[in-house]
Amino acid sequence: MFSASQSSRAQFLDKARQAREERRGLKERERAAVQIQALTRRFLCRCRLQREIRREVDDFFVASEPGASKRSALSVFRTARKLLFVFTLQEDKERIEKLCRCILNSMDVENEPKVWYVSLALSKDLTLLWIKQIKDILWFCCEFLKQLKPDILQDSKLVNLHLTMLVTFTDTSTWKILRGKGETLRPAMNHICANIMGHLNQKGFYSVLQILLTNGLARSRPSLSKGSLTAIFSLALRPVIAAQFSDNLLRSFLIHIMSVPAIMTHLATLTPERLAVLESHGLFRKFILYLSREAQCRDVCVCLEGSHTLCLLGNLVYLGSLNDKVLEEETAFFVSVLIYMLSYCQKYVSQKKSNLTHWHPVLGWFSQTVDYGLNESMPLLTKQLQHLWGVHMIRTLFSDVLSKKLLENPETAHPSVQPTSPQNSLPMKNLFKRAFQKSASVRNILKPVGGKRVDSAEVQKVCSICVLYQTTLATLTQIRLQILTGLTYLDDLLPKLWAFICELGPQGGLKLFLECLNNDTEESKRLLAMLMLFCDCSRHLITILDDIEVYEEQISFKLEELITISSFLNSFVFKMIWDGIVENAKGETLELFHSVHGWLMVLYERDCRRRFAPEDHWLRKDLKPSVLFQELEKDKRRAQLLLQYIPHVIPHKNRVLLFRNMVIKEKEKLGLVETSSASPHVTHITIRRSRMLEDGYEQLRQLSQNAMKGVIRVKFVNDLGVDEAGIDQDGVFKEFLEEIIKKVFDPALNLFKTTSGDERLYPSPTSYIHENYLQLFEFVGKMLGKAVYEGIVVDVPFASFFLSQLLGHHHSVFYSSVDELPSLDSEFYKNLTSIKRYDGDISDLGLTLSYDEDVMGQLVCHELIPGGKTIPVSNENKKHTVYYGGFHGSHRVIIWLWDILANDFTPEERAMFLKFVTSCSRPPLLGFAYLKPPFSIRCVEVSDDQDTGDTLGSVLRGFFTIRKKEPGGRLPTSSTCFNLLKLPNYSKKSILREKLRYAISMNTGFELS
């Protein structure tokens, strides 16, 4: 009974609790319903009020239309208050436009102060309210400017409207109320304008201008009108001038305005008077001095990141090219600022593609985010940057070097080193005339003399400038060749820079720079940067000069100076290797080594092809071969590096002995030498005299590598099928080897051809007539390798251009196929260089755009363009198209291309092709001779991750149509900025037609790949 009572009590309490909760829930629902009703009524009331206010505003604007009576400033003010009370960007866009027009119209009225909207600023009761109102209206104008697209006609009109509002109410110069007696009010009104501008700045005014400028200018053709650009730039300058060029405002101007791509170029084109305002306020000097403080420069660069930092750099360089006086006076600060900005960008320049890199058309692979919206403006940015290595700025920056006069030596009438090759004497009267004029008064030969203190202001200045250009080369990777060409344009810069280097230090030259390698100081790094720049530029110059320009005309360097320079470089590279510096080199030291070594090897290879240095010039007398051999036996790294990089310092005889020792050791290791305990494996082959090549090919081509290195015994069978007497103890095999090599190199077999003149061997372009010609070439290679391995001397005079191919020299960007051309056809080379130097009308020579070739006894005419054999070569058309990367006018892919354009494509497709390459569907008005840059076609490799520029050495590869793999899966691409068609080396005309038609019809621009 007790438990039943407890149970009833619990149930009662539970019911009471539930009843309380229900009553509480009911009250909460009632309260929520009341709140919802209140909110709904408030919302509906607000919507009704907003509709009524907007209706009143609309009625006001209707009454204010042209032809109606002028409305007072007070009525405009009241209407504006109503509009701002309900304003939203989405709903009131047109109303704010009408309000702006109404306000601007009121400001244009003559002699009616009560109509002028600005008159309310003079009202004691309304001044603060008016200032707040105009601030709000102007900021809404800024909000709209961020959304507008200047390239759309309607938007461009609205841009002008909002800019006019901003221009009108941030400066008092157009306020009619201040004319006459009102002039006394100007200081107070100026103060109000400054207050308004300060408010806009705090809200992000410069960011608005940056967005508008980028939308209107970061494109191939600007969409901002002259008036709009003038207004924007005037607005941008006002806060800076008003704040008397404070650091804070200069920072904002640099980050948001000066980083707009090529804005200075657009100003110079559209509104040059704005540039004059910049100059009148000395802003270029102020920019440079502000950025010369490292912390401030770092802050600006970090805010901009890489792409926009480069845009700022381009604008500063362009301004520098216009301000000679400032540039001369502030050279040190200007150079230091550019070095810092380029170094900042360089930190993110990558050597290869990865998941963390993005492609930039000037910087290459870049590990910061790239703004692809700036791509259209890259050609203009590049033109701005070109001023940095243009003649004008180089003369200004290198004035200390260029002002030096190279001493003349009138007694020296002719170069002391005479050409020795038969190719050297080219019968060209103009050439000898120029050579005589140049040699009439020859300067003293420049040699290291020393005497100039390296810590002097002059040396430090020149070093800084060299650091600037070296940093430029390392950062702007995609226009490196263009920079080098600019730096080598002045013939006297490099010899005078060499003269400057010769004067450095107590003794000059080598010792100073070797000491710098061991000193990790800024001064040492700057001196080495000077040497590195000299080497990079000189190497580029000698690479692009032909033999006449180097040996006869002696452009830039005299031959005796090349001897002195090469001696210096040879010693420097040797010391870097032998002193162990290269073993652990990395970063700048490794780059320096490759730079100096590259210049050295260009000179060495030029001397090998056509001697300018004395006998034994390249040898190191202080290097004993016995010491080198001992170190090689001990696997010393420096000895291995010496053989890898500069084997020419060792006499040829010693190199042969070294090679023979290596062969002997390898034979012992492979068990190919007979000993008392073992005999090597012997391969026996039987060769019929009448079918020596066929039998040798069949029996030897399948041998393994070790079997080819081993002992091979030959038994000859005569024409009657009887074995010839005699036992092969290497003599018979040697006879076999010499005979078979003699047969394969016989031009009658058509596996190899001989050059005209000196009859040097190279692979025949028509060797494909042999069904197994590639296997035959491989077999020939094995036979030559066996001869070298066994020390058997065979008489195989290869052409030097083919030897360069075998050695892989053509893979170097510094390889010049034109320099190798004389070894293929000296007469052809002579004729080409004659055309290059022809001063008159080239049509006088009676040439056509074709050439004839003797193919197996038949004369075949190759047209360089469709119908080329009927088109005469003239001064206008000889440079219409530039070929790169192995393509040339007679390359089969180029012939296919012109034929497809002429015969297979419709006029519409030809227009699409022009638009694909040049971004314009119509040809140039005055013809392709006036197209800038010239129309160009580049052969692109299939498996390259990136297009690194023109590969000079691939011309011969293109001539022999050697490819890595079939490029059928890759489409043609283009760089419209440079009028460049990037064309894979297709194997069939049908594939080229199909891929080209697809590419031009896609119209996808930069994304196409």
Side-chain angles (χ1 to χ4, degrees):
M1 187 172 179
F2 180 75
S3 63
S5 175
Q6 278 187 330
S7 175
S8 300
R9 185 168 177 270
Q11 290 176 353
F12 174 77
L13 293 174
D14 189 49
K15 287 179 180 179
R17 181 180 57 77
Q18 290 178 359
R20 282 196 306 274
E21 288 178 357
E22 286 179 5
R23 288 193 298 274
R24 188 185 303 116
L26 182 60
K27 287 181 180 179
E28 288 178 358
R29 284 195 294 274
E30 289 176 353
R31 192 184 307 112
V34 171
Q35 190 173 2
I36 290 171
Q37 289 172 359
L39 288 171
T40 303
R41 283 196 298 272
R42 186 168 70 184
F43 173 75
L44 293 174
C45 181
R46 191 165 64 246
C47 289
R48 187 165 55 252
L49 178 61
Q50 288 174 350
R51 284 196 299 272
E52 291 174 0
I53 291 174
R54 286 190 171 100
R55 192 180 304 116
E56 292 176 11
V57 171
D58 291 340
D59 292 342
F60 176 83
F61 290 140
V62 170
S64 301
E65 289 180 354
S69 59
K70 300 181 181 67
R71 313 304 291 267
S72 69
L74 187 59
S75 63
V76 175
F77 173 77
R78 288 170 178 166
T79 302
R81 287 191 72 183
K82 293 177 183 178
L83 178 58
L84 294 177
F85 179 70
V86 298
F87 180 81
T88 62
L89 284 172
Q90 290 76 22
E91 290 192 51
D92 300 303
K93 179 180 177 182
E94 292 186 7
R95 292 184 181 89
I96 203 76
E97 292 166 13
K98 291 177 180 178
L99 176 62
C100 290
R101 289 193 176 92
C102 186
I103 291 173
L104 291 173
N105 288 337
S106 78
M107 297 293 289
D108 288 336
V109 175
E110 293 290 341
N111 302 321
E112 294 192 40
K114 290 186 178 181
V115 177
W116 296 330
Y117 176 71
V118 76
S119 64
L120 299 176
L122 303 177
S123 170
K124 189 178 296 184
D125 298 330
L126 297 176
T127 300
L128 294 178
L129 293 173
W130 181 86
I131 291 173
K132 183 181 185 309
Q133 185 178 97
I134 194 62
K135 284 179 179 178
D136 291 340
I137 293 172
L138 292 182
W139 181 246
F140 287 137
C141 289
C142 291
E143 291 286 357
F144 283 117
L145 284 173
K146 287 195 291 187
Q147 300 175 2
L148 295 173
K149 304 295 182 186
D151 55 327
I152 300 173
L153 180 61
Q154 187 59 35
D155 279 13
S156 68
K157 294 179 180 178
L158 295 177
V159 166
N160 290 334
L161 172 66
H162 296 307
L163 286 175
T164 306
M165 278 293 293
L166 288 163
V167 169
T168 302
F169 292 101
T170 56
D171 184 77
T172 62
S173 58
T174 60
W175 294 4
K176 294 182 175 65
I177 199 171
L178 299 180
R179 292 177 182 173
K181 295 180 180 179
E183 188 66 35
T184 57
L185 300 172
R186 191 174 295 276
M189 295 295 101
N190 284 340
H191 184 72
I192 290 176
C193 285
N195 183 276
I196 293 171
M197 186 58 80
H199 171 77
L200 294 176
N201 280 337
Q202 288 179 351
K203 298 273 284 184
F205 181 59
Y206 274 116
S207 296
V208 174
L209 295 184
Q210 181 183 22
I211 293 170
L212 182 59
L213 284 168
T214 304
N215 287 339
L217 300 180
R219 50 184 61 246
S220 54
R221 292 183 180 179
S223 57
L224 286 175
S225 65
K226 175 181 178 179
S228 297
L229 184 57
T230 302
I232 296 170
F233 205 73
S234 298
L235 287 167
L237 280 175
R238 281 177 182 176
V240 181
I241 297 170
Q244 297 183 339
F245 312 101
S246 67
D247 282 356
N248 189 35
L249 268 299
L250 281 175
R251 175 184 182 274
S252 295
F253 194 90
L254 285 166
I255 291 174
H256 298 290
I257 306 302
M258 290 298 291
S259 67
V260 174
I263 185 172
M264 293 297 110
T265 301
H266 290 299
L267 284 176
T269 305
L270 294 175
T271 172
E273 57 272 14
R274 291 298 93 194
L275 273 183
V277 173
L278 269 181
E279 292 181 24
S280 66
H281 289 289
L283 272 173
F284 175 60
R285 188 191 302 270
K286 291 179 172 63
F287 292 152
I288 294 304
L289 294 178
Y290 175 85
L291 292 170
S292 64
R293 285 164 277 182
E294 187 175 323
Q296 294 175 173
C297 191
R298 184 190 309 114
D299 168 53
V300 170
C301 291
V302 169
C303 289
L304 291 177
E305 294 191 333
S307 296
H308 291 275
T309 299
L310 196 63
C311 295
L312 171 59
L313 183 75
N315 285 316
L316 290 175
V317 168
Y318 185 77
L319 275 182
S321 69
L322 301 177
N323 291 269
D324 291 347
K325 186 172 182 294
V326 177
L327 194 61
E328 291 170 6
E329 294 173 356
E330 308 294 350
T331 297
F333 287 136
F334 177 74
V335 169
S336 67
V337 167
L338 296 195
I339 289 174
Y340 187 89
M341 295 174 74
L342 285 165
S343 300
Y344 177 82
C345 293
Q346 188 186 345
K347 290 191 299 184
Y348 302 98
V349 173
S350 179
Q351 296 300 316
K352 58 184 179 179
K353 178 181 179 181
S354 72
N355 293 332
L356 301 176
T357 59
H358 309 270
W359 178 252
H360 190 282
V362 175
L363 300 168
W365 292 113
F366 200 65
S367 57
Q368 276 191 333
T369 303
V370 171
D371 185 351
Y372 290 106
L374 303 182
N375 273 2
E376 280 191 63
S377 60
M378 283 301 113
L380 279 177
L381 171 61
T382 304
K383 285 184 179 179
Q384 284 187 319
L385 293 171
Q386 284 171 355
H387 288 283
L388 183 57
W389 50 89
V391 172
H392 183 72
M393 195 166 289
I394 287 177
R395 286 197 188 280
T396 303
L397 296 181
F398 280 110
S399 58
D400 290 346
V401 173
L402 292 169
S403 62
K404 304 287 184 185
K405 286 191 176 181
L406 298 176
L407 296 176
E408 300 288 334
N409 182 6
E411 295 178 3
T412 309
H414 300 282
S416 61
V417 178
Q418 295 297 327
T420 57
S421 169
Q423 304 165 8
N424 297 345
S425 53
L426 298 178
M428 298 171 61
K429 62 178 182 180
N430 287 341
L431 164 63
F432 287 119
K433 182 180 177 182
R434 286 196 297 268
F436 177 76
Q437 290 171 345
K438 283 177 175 282
S439 62
S441 179
V442 180
R443 64 171 182 258
N444 285 334
I445 303 308
L446 303 171
K447 297 180 180 180
V449 292
K452 193 184 290 290
R453 290 180 59 89
V454 296
D455 58 354
S456 65
E458 180 191 8
V459 174
Q460 292 301 308
K461 177 184 175 183
V462 175
C463 286
S464 295
I465 295 166
C466 290
V467 170
L468 167 61
Y469 284 109
Q470 198 57 43
T471 310
T472 305
L473 287 168
T475 306
L476 310 181
T477 61
Q478 298 310 295
I479 52 176
R480 179 182 170 87
L481 290 180
Q482 186 185 126
I483 299 167
L484 288 169
T485 302
L487 289 169
T488 56
Y489 184 81
L490 292 175
D491 286 346
D492 58 341
L493 175 61
L494 291 176
K496 287 183 176 179
L497 186 59
W498 171 244
F500 191 83
I501 290 173
C502 288
E503 295 175 353
L504 297 178
Q507 299 171 329
L510 186 63
K511 186 176 181 182
L512 171 67
F513 289 104
L514 288 174
E515 289 174 355
C516 289
L517 288 172
N518 298 314
N519 297 331
D520 192 22
T521 62
E522 280 301 314
E523 184 181 275
S524 296
K525 290 179 181 178
R526 287 169 176 266
L527 286 167
L528 292 173
M530 181 196 299
L531 176 62
M532 192 170 172
L533 181 71
F534 171 74
C535 290
D536 287 343
C537 293
S538 302
R539 174 174 58 179
H540 178 74
L541 175 66
I542 294 297
T543 300
I544 61 179
L545 295 179
D546 59 39
D547 282 356
I548 295 173
E549 292 164 326
V550 173
Y551 290 90
E552 274 82 18
E553 297 180 355
Q554 298 186 37
I555 290 178
S556 286
F557 294 109
K558 303 302 174 188
L559 290 181
E560 292 87 344
E561 287 164 359
L562 291 181
I563 295 171
T564 306
I565 292 170
S566 59
S567 177
F568 166 83
L569 298 173
N570 207 35
S571 299
F572 189 81
V573 172
F574 174 75
K575 289 288 187 182
M576 282 193 76
I577 294 175
W578 204 246
D579 292 349
I581 297 173
V582 178
E583 292 180 39
N584 305 310
K586 55 185 178 182
E588 294 175 350
T589 305
L590 190 59
E591 290 175 8
L592 171 69
F593 173 76
H594 288 308
S595 179
V596 179
H597 176 259
W599 176 209
L600 170 66
M601 296 313 294
V602 165
L603 289 175
Y604 174 71
E605 287 162 12
R606 176 81 74 161
D607 183 64
C608 289
R609 192 172 65 252
R610 179 174 172 182
R611 184 169 294 282
F612 63 81
E615 202 71 33
D616 297 339
H617 170 72
W618 304 96
L619 301 180
R620 291 292 302 183
K621 303 291 194 307
D622 54 345
L623 176 63
K624 295 183 178 179
S626 58
V627 174
L628 178 67
F629 291 177
Q630 290 172 9
E631 296 217 355
L632 285 170
E633 288 178 1
K634 297 175 182 177
D635 289 333
K636 289 291 184 68
R637 182 66 177 148
R638 68 175 186 176
Q640 295 169 346
L641 290 172
L642 196 73
L643 277 182
Q644 178 184 346
Y645 286 109
I646 48 172
H648 60 255
V649 301
I650 310 163
H652 180 262
K653 178 181 178 181
N654 296 107
R655 278 181 275 162
V656 173
L657 290 174
L658 177 61
F659 177 71
R660 298 312 317 158
N661 289 337
M662 293 170 65
V663 170
I664 291 170
K665 287 181 180 178
E666 186 182 68
K667 284 187 173 184
E668 291 174 351
K669 184 178 179 181
L670 296 174
L672 301 178
V673 178
E674 183 144 5
T675 64
S676 56
S677 58
S679 296
H681 173 74
V682 178
T683 300
H684 294 277
I685 60 173
T686 301
I687 304 295
R688 292 171 290 179
R689 286 274 185 188
S690 58
R691 295 182 59 83
M692 188 178 295
L693 177 58
E694 293 83 348
D695 289 351
Y697 172 74
E698 288 299 329
Q699 296 183 57
L700 293 178
R701 70 186 184 95
Q702 301 294 346
L703 290 183
S704 66
Q705 185 178 19
N706 285 349
M708 279 297 295
K709 291 180 177 179
V711 179
I712 300 175
R713 299 296 185 212
V714 176
K715 178 173 284 293
F716 280 119
V717 176
N718 62 22
D719 294 340
L720 300 175
V722 178
D723 291 351
E724 293 186 3
I727 300 174
D728 187 2
Q729 293 295 331
D730 295 335
V732 180
F733 176 73
K734 182 178 178 182
E735 179 191 352
F736 161 73
L737 196 60
E738 289 176 343
E739 287 296 322
I740 205 168
I741 287 176
K742 182 179 178 182
K743 287 181 179 293
V744 295
F745 287 111
D746 185 350
L749 186 63
N750 198 37
L751 205 57
F752 286 85
K753 282 185 70 174
T754 57
T755 60
S756 58
D758 54 0
E759 297 190 343
R760 298 278 170 169
L761 291 163
Y762 68 97
S764 170
T766 56
S767 58
Y768 58 83
I769 63 171
H770 297 283
E771 184 179 352
N772 56 344
Y773 72 107
L774 290 179
Q775 290 83 3
L776 281 172
F777 278 127
E778 183 182 5
F779 172 68
V780 173
K782 288 182 177 181
M783 292 299 97
L784 289 176
K786 180 65 174 176
V788 173
Y789 195 73
E790 299 297 343
I792 300 172
V793 179
V794 290
D795 184 17
V796 185
F798 283 130
S800 67
F801 79 87
F802 179 56
L803 287 174
S804 295
Q805 294 272 313
L806 290 177
L807 293 171
H809 291 170
H810 58 290
H811 292 303
S812 168
V813 294
F814 300 104
Y815 171 80
S816 173
S817 55
V818 176
D819 289 338
E820 295 282 11
L821 185 57
S823 68
L824 174 65
D825 191 333
S826 58
E827 192 69 21
F828 184 42
Y829 173 79
K830 182 178 71 174
N831 293 337
L832 278 181
T833 51
S834 299
I835 295 172
K836 173 183 173 182
R837 287 170 171 75
Y838 191 73
D839 296 328
D841 186 353
I842 202 169
S843 60
D844 296 341
L845 302 179
L847 302 173
T848 62
L849 293 174
S850 63
Y851 78 96
D852 296 329
E853 182 187 15
D854 185 356
V855 179
M856 293 186 287
Q858 291 187 342
L859 200 62
V860 178
C861 177
H862 297 278
E863 293 186 330
L864 304 182
I865 61 171
K869 62 183 178 183
T870 62
I871 301 175
V873 177
S874 65
N875 290 344
E876 287 72 34
N877 65 21
K878 69 176 181 178
K879 292 183 179 178
H880 280 193
T881 303
V882 181
Y883 300 106
Y884 298 116
F887 278 158
H888 45 83
S890 59
H891 194 286
R892 62 177 187 176
V893 173
I894 299 300
I895 294 171
W896 291 342
L897 173 67
W898 296 125
D899 188 55
I900 289 168
L901 291 172
N903 301 316
D904 296 351
F905 274 19
T906 64
E908 292 77 15
E909 286 176 321
R910 285 194 284 271
M912 290 164 63
F913 172 79
L914 271 179
K915 185 174 179 63
F916 178 72
V917 182
T918 68
S919 77
C920 181
S921 59
R922 298 176 65 85
L925 184 62
L926 299 176
F928 280 91
Y930 292 86
L931 186 65
K932 300 293 181 184
F935 187 89
S936 307
I937 305 175
R938 177 187 297 158
C939 177
V940 289
E941 297 288 347
V942 179
S943 57
D944 289 349
D945 287 332
Q946 68 186 81
D947 185 2
T948 57
D950 308 339
T951 309
L952 297 174
S954 59
V955 175
L956 286 174
R957 184 171 67 249
F959 182 78
F960 289 114
T961 61
I962 297 172
R963 298 185 303 275
K964 291 182 179 179
K965 64 179 183 182
E966 170 57 47
R970 179 167 177 168
L971 291 172
T973 55
S974 66
S975 291
T976 55
C977 317
F978 306 105
N979 301 321
L980 173 64
L981 174 65
K982 300 176 182 179
L983 201 61
N985 190 0
Y986 294 116
S987 61
K988 295 181 180 178
K989 182 179 178 181
S990 58
I991 297 176
L992 170 60
R993 185 190 304 111
E994 173 195 344
K995 298 296 182 184
L996 188 62
R997 190 168 266 151
Y998 181 78
I1000 66 173
S1001 63
M1002 288 300 290
N1003 194 28
T1004 52
F1006 285 100
E1007 306 86 43
L1008 191 64
S1009 63

